Amino acid sequence: QVHLAESGGGTVQAGGSLRLSCATSEQTFSNHNMGWFCQAPGEEREFVASIAWGGAGIHYADSVTGRFIIYRDNTNNMIYLSMSNLKPSDTAIYFCAATQWPASSPIGLWDYWGQGIQVTVSS
């Protein structure tokens, strides 16, 4: 069973920074591509960033390119999303996800999900 656990959310002012973390097992980490998605109130869940299991093949949504960075810690089986220059429009619940399909796969092919963590950006 795949278990994903997010941490690091919270409230920050516009222009600020946060780092989200996602913990998983070594088995999941070593053979799944990992990603971050977000869901704002009243909106559908959407892609934010993903990274292939080997660390290459990184993808970003246009809205976060240049502001967010996704990276892996292979020693501790962790995935991180470093978010900077945050905007009120980034306010959402952020989900860590895993898939054995390519890291560029559409949301419907992501098999495993964390419970999500709230990020609120105030203006």
Side-chain angles (χ1 to χ4, degrees), residues 26-120:
E26 180 178 1
Q27 181 178 10
T28 299
F29 192 85
S30 64
N31 62 20
H32 284 77
N33 299 313
M34 305 295 294
W36 289 95
F37 294 76
C38 70
Q39 187 167 15
E43 303 290 333
E44 294 187 353
R45 195 170 301 185
E46 61 183 24
F47 170 77
V48 175
S50 64
I51 184 169
W53 70 269
I58 294 174
H59 307 270
Y60 294 102
D62 290 344
S63 60
V64 307
T65 297
R67 300 188 299 122
F68 291 11
I69 298 173
I70 185 172
Y71 58 101
R72 310 173 66 110
D73 178 348
N74 293 337
T75 300
N76 296 308
N77 304 321
M78 297 287 291
I79 298 292
Y80 298 98
L81 184 69
S82 178
M83 306 185 293
S84 60
N85 191 20
L86 282 160
K87 305 175 181 180
S89 57
D90 295 319
T91 295
I93 298 173
Y94 284 73
F95 297 89
C96 178
T99 184
Q100 290 186 309
W101 295 92
S104 58
S105 295
I107 190 171
L109 294 181
W110 288 79
D111 305 301
Y112 306 103
W113 296 87
Q115 290 191 330
I117 193 162
Q118 179 71 45
V119 171
T120 302

